Amino acid sequence: MTGKDVHALEEATGLLPHGTRVNVTYLGNEDLAMRVTAARAVLQHAFTPVPHISARRLPSAPALEAYLSALAEAGAAEEVCVVGGDPAEPAGPYEDALAVIRGGLLAKHGVRHVSVAAYPEGHPRISDRLLWRALEDKHRVLGQQGVGMTAITQFGFDPAPVLDWLEQARDRGIDCPVRVGVPGPAGVKRLLRYARRFGVTSSAGVAQKYGFSLANLLGTAGPGRFVRALADRLDPARHGEVLLHFYPFGGLRATALWVRDSQSAVTP
């Protein structure tokens, strides 16, 4: 959710079990008060807030400390998600998520678990070699700090690259939980727009397997086929602990309804 989605979160209350993790984004057009208010709202509805920290949007270390202190005061600092962020040039001293993690301020302010980004289909501007090195470094540094880690993957329409990536991650010693990114039910046009933005494969064959046609952009599509195919092929011995992370492109309530109605296929 964003800082503007507090009302939408209220509409989803009652559809999801208490303790559900809700990520709170770190957008450039929102301020500290909006982000902290959103995190408080997550707590007030008996969910677990996971506030984002966007490294390249941070103007200074004191600004990061102010944000972490405000989250701690709200009781929402125990789990955060640290991402690099969209700006081409950093606004301050943090080039990427690893720089924030290495700085040591997270644990100092009560952070006990950090989610980081992962890209089974690669990143449009970062090589696979650098992506793997960054993930391995984050895993190592957080372990040294005594802070837990979860990898949250970019969403996709095809489980095959996700499963391949999971095997590679485990072979590289990355043994943390992985939450596989899943788009909530949304319009086909919107899904394709996000896919183009983030470099997600959306060929005709992949789209058909996922459950929509590139010839019909007016329809909607849900993640049912993707989740079933992923679950059928998961092997805990090879893939480790795997959960789901929903991107609510079609809205929080629509995603919450899908999860509630699909509990036979989804493990919370």
Side-chain angles (χ1 to χ4, degrees):
M1 63 176 287
T2 72
K4 299 175 182 178
D5 289 331
V6 172
H7 179 67
L9 179 68
E10 293 171 355
E11 292 181 340
T13 301
L15 299 173
L16 297 171
H18 290 175
T20 296
R21 294 157 57 93
V22 179
N23 283 34
V24 180
T25 58
Y26 193 108
L27 301 180
N29 60 357
E30 296 178 352
D31 59 18
L32 183 149
M34 289 183 68
R35 298 172 189 129
V36 175
T37 296
R40 280 201 183 98
V42 175
L43 279 172
Q44 289 166 359
H45 290 85
F47 300 136
T48 300
V50 185
H52 283 205
I53 298 170
S54 179
R56 287 172 171 250
R57 294 192 187 280
L58 292 167
S60 64
L64 174 57
E65 289 215 74
Y67 183 43
L68 291 170
S69 295
L71 289 175
E73 185 178 346
E78 188 167 328
E79 297 194 42
V80 299
C81 178
V82 185
V83 297
D86 293 332
E89 297 294 331
Y94 301 109
E95 174 71 24
D96 52 26
L98 185 58
V100 171
I101 291 168
R102 279 182 168 149
L105 292 176
L106 301 180
K108 176 183 173 182
H109 288 273
V111 174
R112 296 291 174 263
H113 200 97
V114 173
S115 295
V116 301
Y119 301 88
E121 294 188 41
H123 189 286
R125 297 185 300 277
I126 305 173
S127 70
D128 286 349
R129 179 180 63 83
L130 291 178
L131 287 174
W132 280 119
R133 181 193 297 171
L135 191 63
E136 290 168 339
D137 287 346
K138 292 169 192 173
H139 185 259
R140 185 188 71 257
V141 173
L142 287 168
Q144 292 169 347
Q145 295 176 351
V147 177
M149 176 175 131
T150 293
I152 299 179
T153 77
Q154 178 56 277
F155 77 94
F157 302 131
D158 185 357
V162 175
L163 293 162
D164 290 344
W165 181 91
L166 283 167
E167 288 199 50
Q168 291 184 64
R170 303 318 186 191
D171 288 344
R172 291 170 177 266
I174 300 169
D175 56 0
C176 66
V178 173
R179 290 185 176 268
V180 174
V182 178
V188 172
K189 271 188 175 180
R190 177 170 291 185
L191 290 173
L192 291 175
R193 185 167 67 248
Y194 279 107
R196 285 192 296 271
R197 178 179 173 184
F198 295 112
V200 173
T201 302
S202 57
S203 65
V206 168
Q208 185 176 22
K209 284 196 297 182
Y210 188 80
F212 65 86
S213 169
L214 297 182
N216 178 19
L217 302 183
L218 299 180
T220 60
R225 290 189 186 182
F226 177 94
V227 172
R228 286 192 295 272
L230 181 69
D232 288 345
R233 296 169 61 183
L234 275 176
D235 177 358
R238 293 162 59 202
H239 303 121
E241 183 179 357
V242 179
L243 305 102
L244 298 179
H245 173 83
F246 288 90
Y247 294 91
F249 296 141
L252 288 170
R253 179 175 171 79
T255 299
L257 282 168
W258 188 92
V259 173
R260 184 198 66 182
D261 295 341
S262 306
Q263 286 189 17
S264 61
V266 179
T267 301

